[in-house]
Amino acid sequence: MQISAAFPSDYLKAGDLNGQDAEVVIAGIQMKDVGDDHKPVLSFQGKDQGLVLNKTNANNITSIYGDNTDNWMGKPIVLFPTTTDFGGKTVPCIRVRPAAQATDPSMPPF
């Protein structure tokens, strides 16, 4: 048994990606209480878990689809596992980049 299965979460963690990139389609964004903070959380089409947005990922999506989150709905992004420095330690994290369709100018807009 994987102990992480005993503590399911509504939110994605880097380990949930199993070392693989995941192309997802944004279904919505809501402000939610996460711990002691109130943060934006992305939901994805066909997925149960959402992604709590940090400033880095929010800025990455903004650079792809603009500042108005209404324009993000139905758009693809790629989630990928990597690491970052936090509190003097290197820790796993999820980052966001454009999906192939988002960067291919020959593709028609959604």
Side-chain angles (χ1 to χ4, degrees), residues 25-97:
V25 176
I26 300 171
I29 185 169
Q30 292 183 320
M31 294 299 293
K32 294 189 177 186
D33 291 326
V34 181
D36 294 335
D37 296 319
H38 197 64
K39 294 190 172 204
V41 176
L42 286 181
S43 58
F44 305 109
Q45 293 177 5
K47 305 294 182 189
D48 293 330
Q49 291 177 299
L51 179 67
V52 178
L53 283 183
N54 58 26
K55 195 166 192 170
T56 299
N57 286 337
N59 286 338
N60 288 345
I61 298 170
T62 297
S63 72
I64 303 166
Y65 296 122
D67 191 52
N68 186 340
T69 60
D70 290 343
N71 296 332
W72 300 5
M73 301 313 116
K75 301 291 179 30
I77 56 173
V78 174
L79 308 178
F80 64 97
T82 189
T83 59
T84 191
D85 291 330
F86 183 77
K89 295 182 180 180
T90 300
V91 297
C93 69
I94 295 175
R95 290 290 186 242
V96 174
R97 70 172 173 256

Side-chain angles (χ1 to χ4, degrees), residues 100-109:
Q101 296 94 331
T103 57
D104 184 353
S106 68
M107 295 292 291

